[in-house]
Amino acid sequence: MPHSKYTPDQLERKIPIGISACLLGDNVRFNGGHSHSNYCDHVLSDYFDYQKFCPEVAAGFGTPRPTLRLEGDPTDPIMTFSKKTGEDLTDRFHSGSADYLDTLAHLDGYIVMKNSPSCGMERIKVYQENGHPHMQRTAGLFTKKLMERYPLLPVEEDGRLNDPNLRENFLLRVFTHHDFRHSVPEEPKLKDLIEFHSRYKYLVMAHSQPIYRELGRLLSGNDPRSIKALKEAYFKTLMTCLSKPAKRKNHCNVLMHLVGYLKNAVDVSVRKDILDVVEQYRRGEVNLVTPMTLLHHYLKHHGSEYINQQSYFTPYPSPLGIRNTV
Ligand code: SF4
């Protein structure tokens, strides 16, 4: 159902998110313990409907169990017990998750446990024959399959969510992923994509002006591809564009551009005050929330409907306070 007025502050339903079961406090770790994440379980849970899974338990390794590790070729490692038994557990591990991986197309994001040879997203050690790890690191075997199967799905490690910029970027991608899949119909018309693109103009521009123009060309009506192919190409380009945090310099350019919409509506001294705050943000003296709140206040009163529906102002729920931290 198209939903052009989507805003994360008025979510109609919680967002389906996959998560490593130990992060929600399930006692599924090798030692019978958990790795409970307060942020995931008590903050993000207001917005996320979690679907938890432990691939090691699903593979039948039991709890508690001997610790596991990756060995061999870092580009295609095998899973073994850390205490050398010579047993290759890779096929057994994958067979426990294969059917489950088939069922995840509805998810809008996935949070995985760091440092796990099964769930880690990056920097997982792969051991050589001599017992030392390779320099080259990899993803855990489950998460590697997950990312191969759903390459546009936002995936992040719980530990990296402590970094304000990485947290902001993950949540931005989750809410955008969710919005696109609920705002743009399964079989859209070109106008549905254009409507979405209009709302995301300034958000995309804050990440990349060339990609904003590239997305516009896709929807110009001159592309001979089918609407289904255009939708896929649009979504892929959008999610790839958002996969890196926006630079402060780009935010400043967008904010200054938005101040231009107040040109005939407010006094020049007011615009100068707003631009001064944008400069404070550029110098790192205030966080993004400060110029954004000030600007949005004036645009709400003096801006057009087009400007006020921009997802740039509320890409994720305001109560999360994300823009107080970047
Ligand atoms: S990190 Fe993954 S495999 Fe390990 S206990 Fe947590 S959910 Fe299970």
Side-chain angles (χ1 to χ4, degrees), residues 121-135:
M121 188 182 77
E122 58 173 33
R123 300 188 313 276
I124 304 303
K125 290 177 186 164
V126 180
Y127 288 86
Q128 308 177 62
E129 190 67 30
N130 64 14
H132 295 292
H134 288 277
M135 291 290 284

Side-chain angles (χ1 to χ4, degrees), residues 19-23 26-30 33-35 53-57 65 68 93 112-120 142:
I19 190 166
S20 299
C22 57
L23 290 174
D26 283 16
N27 292 318
V28 289
R29 291 195 65 204
F30 70 96
H34 58 73
S35 306
F53 182 69
C54 174
E56 292 180 14
V57 168
R65 56 187 171 274
L68 297 156
F93 176 79
V112 293
M113 173 66 189
K114 65 182 177 184
N115 294 338
S116 156
S118 306
C119 290
F142 171 76

Side-chain angles (χ1 to χ4, degrees), residues 18-73:
I19 190 166
S20 299
C22 57
L23 290 174
L24 290 187
D26 283 16
N27 292 318
V28 289
R29 291 195 65 204
F30 70 96
N31 58 4
H34 58 73
S35 306
H36 181 253
S37 160
N38 195 50
Y39 187 66
C40 293
D41 199 14
H42 295 141
V43 179
L44 295 180
S45 57
D46 284 349
Y47 306 97
F48 291 173
D49 184 11
Y50 288 122
Q51 185 168 320
K52 58 189 179 180
F53 182 69
C54 174
E56 292 180 14
V57 168
F61 293 141
T63 307
R65 56 187 171 274
T67 56
L68 297 156
R69 71 179 194 178
L70 303 182
E71 288 183 2
D73 178 356

